[in-house]
């Protein structure tokens, strides 16, 4: 049990699941398959809600915070700082972000590291357009619309690859990791920050399994990878895993914020139906993820990790 996350909730899990089932077709959500087109559609419907409720600056990831400092700072910047440290440690000049979303991470890096070159690649035309607009005026950044499973970029062109909460959404993680390996120079690094299953879901009890599937599907993820087999897969591609840190406790502040927002949504029983008519369906489902994630992370079914991979020299 991860106390700092488990203590966020004020309802037993069965009651939280009952709230979800009352407002949504939970069985349909858990059975749903999610492919690239589904991911693009999810973000098309959710873009405005993310800007309103998640980050006005366009960060699309869960914050990481040590709990110190301003209560309102949920730690969206922390990911950028960790990657900046990595870039400095290997004196990287060319870096690419896989799944750059609305460009928050690479835009911040490009502004703060003007001598280095950055590229962002994303499937979503809406995100790519927003990222280009927000980075207007920065000379050391470029955004490409495309799928990082197959890039039109030369071999060994980059010193570093960043992938924040995106590999979980791609259809074939093996292809994505092999592509990162191909475009990295020998000695290059890949930093992955993502959610994983800590164990197979058939090893956890029924309620937690349902909660885990609902969290994954409503975050536009077909399924989170299991951590151990995933690490085995990246080693088979040729990478060395040089760091793997469980950051789940650091997500507590942002998960608490999202849980409280979701609780407010589920309390508005009559209003729920009215709002649902006005808001896109997939945007509304973010409330399910916000409500249930503290349970799945709190019980270590899901974990939030930073993982650094090295391409051998
Ligand atoms: C949760 S968002 C994270 C965005 C960004 N990394 C951030 O931290 O703000 C995931 C992004 O990955 C993109 N994505 C998912 N699979 C992709 C793929 N195969 N190729 C390119 N982009 C992808 C989605 O369109 C989405 O913008």
């Amino acid at each position: 049990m991860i106390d700092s996350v488990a203590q966020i909730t004020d309802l037993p899990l069965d009651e939280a699941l009952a709230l979800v089932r009352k407002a949504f077709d939970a069985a349909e959500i858990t059975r749903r398959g999610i492919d690239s087109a589904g991911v693009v559609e999810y973000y098309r419907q959710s873009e405005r809600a993310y800007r309103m409720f998640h980050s006005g600056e366009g960060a699309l990831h869960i914050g990481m915070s040590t709990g110190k400092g301003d209560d309102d700072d949920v730690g969206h910047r922390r990911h950028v700082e960790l990657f900046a440290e990595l870039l400095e440690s290997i004196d990287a000049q060319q870096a690419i972000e896989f799944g750059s979303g609305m460009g928050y991470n690479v835009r911040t890096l490009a502004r703060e590291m003007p001598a280095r070159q950055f590229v962002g690649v994303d499937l979503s035309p809406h995100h790519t357009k927003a990222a280009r607009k927000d980075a207007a005026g920065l000379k050391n950044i470029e955004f490409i619309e495309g799928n990082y499973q197959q890039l039109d970029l030369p071999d060994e062109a980059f010193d570093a690859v960043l992938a924040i909460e995106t590999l979980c959404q791609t259809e074939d993680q093996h292809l994505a990791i092999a592509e990162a390996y191909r475009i990295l120079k020998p000695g290059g690094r890949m930093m992955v920050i993502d959610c994983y299953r800590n164990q197979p879901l058939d090893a956890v009890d029924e309620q937690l399994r349902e909660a885990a599937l609902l969290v994954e599907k409503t975050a536009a993820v077909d399924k989170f990878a299991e951590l151990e087999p995933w690490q085995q897969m990246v080693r088979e591609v040729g990478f060395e895993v040089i760091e793997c840190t469980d950051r789940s406790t650091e997500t507590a502040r942002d998960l608490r914020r999202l849980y409280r927002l979701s609780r407010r949504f589920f309390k508005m029983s009559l209003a729920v139906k009215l709002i649902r008519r006005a808001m896109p369906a997939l945007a509304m489902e973010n409330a399910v993820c916000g409500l249930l994630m503290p349970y799945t992370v709190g019980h270590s079914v899901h974990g939030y990790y930073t993982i650094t991979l090295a391409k051998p020299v």
Side-chain angles (χ1 to χ4, degrees):
M1 184 81 98
I2 298 173
D3 287 344
S4 59
V5 177
Q7 283 162 6
I8 292 171
T9 59
D10 62 349
L11 282 177
L13 177 55
D14 60 339
E15 287 181 29
L17 286 169
L19 285 179
V20 171
R21 290 190 207 110
K22 205 166 153 204
F24 295 93
D25 184 348
E28 182 280 320
I29 294 173
T30 55
R31 279 197 305 268
R32 181 184 290 173
I34 296 168
D35 58 10
S36 297
V39 170
V40 171
E41 180 56 18
Y42 163 82
Y43 285 112
R44 192 189 67 76
Q45 293 192 24
S46 304
E47 192 178 325
R48 206 156 53 93
Y50 266 100
R51 284 273 192 198
M52 278 169 68
F53 299 117
H54 199 76
S55 154
E57 291 180 282
L60 298 171
H61 51 262
I62 298 165
M64 285 193 296
S65 162
T66 52
K68 295 184 195 118
D70 186 350
D71 269 4
D72 291 339
D73 180 7
V74 294
H76 289 140
R77 219 193 117 79
R78 181 79 184 118
H79 307 57
V80 173
E81 289 165 359
L82 290 171
F83 191 60
E85 280 167 26
L86 177 70
L87 294 181
E88 271 164 5
S89 74
I90 57 166
D91 194 22
Q93 299 304 312
Q94 312 276 348
I96 183 167
E97 182 178 11
F98 279 14
S100 44
M102 292 196 254
Y104 169 83
N105 304 306
V106 258
R107 184 180 73 242
T108 308
L109 288 159
R111 197 182 292 132
E112 295 177 9
M113 300 179 127
R116 295 170 160 97
Q117 300 298 316
F118 296 91
V119 174
V121 56
D122 203 282
L123 271 181
S124 157
H126 296 273
H127 282 174
T128 309
K129 197 171 157 205
R132 285 181 184 141
K133 186 164 164 259
D134 287 353
L138 287 169
K139 303 259 179 282
N140 57 335
I141 190 164
E142 181 193 348
F143 289 99
I144 302 170
E145 184 188 319
N147 189 330
Y148 51 67
Q149 288 184 189
Q150 192 176 13
L151 290 165
D152 188 14
L153 291 168
D155 294 354
E156 302 187 0
F158 292 89
D159 304 292
V161 179
L162 175 64
I164 301 177
E165 294 180 33
T166 184
L167 292 178
C168 59
Q169 288 186 328
T170 204
E171 285 182 25
D172 188 331
Q173 289 216 39
H174 182 271
L175 282 181
I177 292 289
E179 199 59 346
Y181 191 87
R182 181 185 70 76
I183 63 168
L184 272 175
K185 294 176 189 161
R189 300 280 192 274
M190 178 169 195
M191 177 173 274
V192 177
I193 307 182
D194 220 330
C195 244
Y196 290 86
R197 291 179 181 175
N198 284 321
Q199 51 194 311
L201 287 193
D202 51 20
V204 302
D205 79 39
E206 212 174 301
Q207 285 186 349
L208 275 171
R209 183 163 60 245
E210 182 180 0
L213 288 172
L214 286 166
V215 164
E216 294 174 5
K217 302 290 186 181
T218 56
V221 170
D222 197 50
K223 56 179 175 202
F224 289 144
E226 281 170 36
L227 185 64
E228 291 301 327
W230 185 89
Q231 291 194 51
Q232 185 55 35
M233 179 272 286
V234 301
R235 288 191 184 100
E236 279 161 19
V237 170
F239 278 115
E240 287 168 23
V241 180
I242 59 172
E243 174 262 345
C244 176
T245 309
D246 186 347
R247 306 271 182 181
S248 303
T249 55
E250 294 174 42
T251 64
R253 192 179 269 183
D254 204 17
L255 290 187
R256 181 179 303 112
R257 178 182 70 88
L258 296 168
Y259 179 80
R260 285 180 180 159
L261 273 171
S262 303
R263 281 289 277 137
R264 250 180 272 152
F265 167 83
F266 282 102
K267 272 183 189 151
M268 307 184 287
S269 54
L270 179 65
V272 166
K273 291 191 185 75
L274 297 172
I275 295 173
R276 286 187 71 179
R277 274 188 213 139
M279 290 273 279
L282 295 175
M284 297 308 296
E285 289 181 8
N286 283 299
V288 177
C289 190
L291 186 78
L292 297 178
M293 200 158 181
Y295 299 91
T296 62
V297 175
H299 285 87
S300 295
V301 176
H302 290 151
Y304 196 76
Y305 290 85
T306 56
I307 305 172
T308 310
L309 312 177
K311 178 169 174 171
V313 180

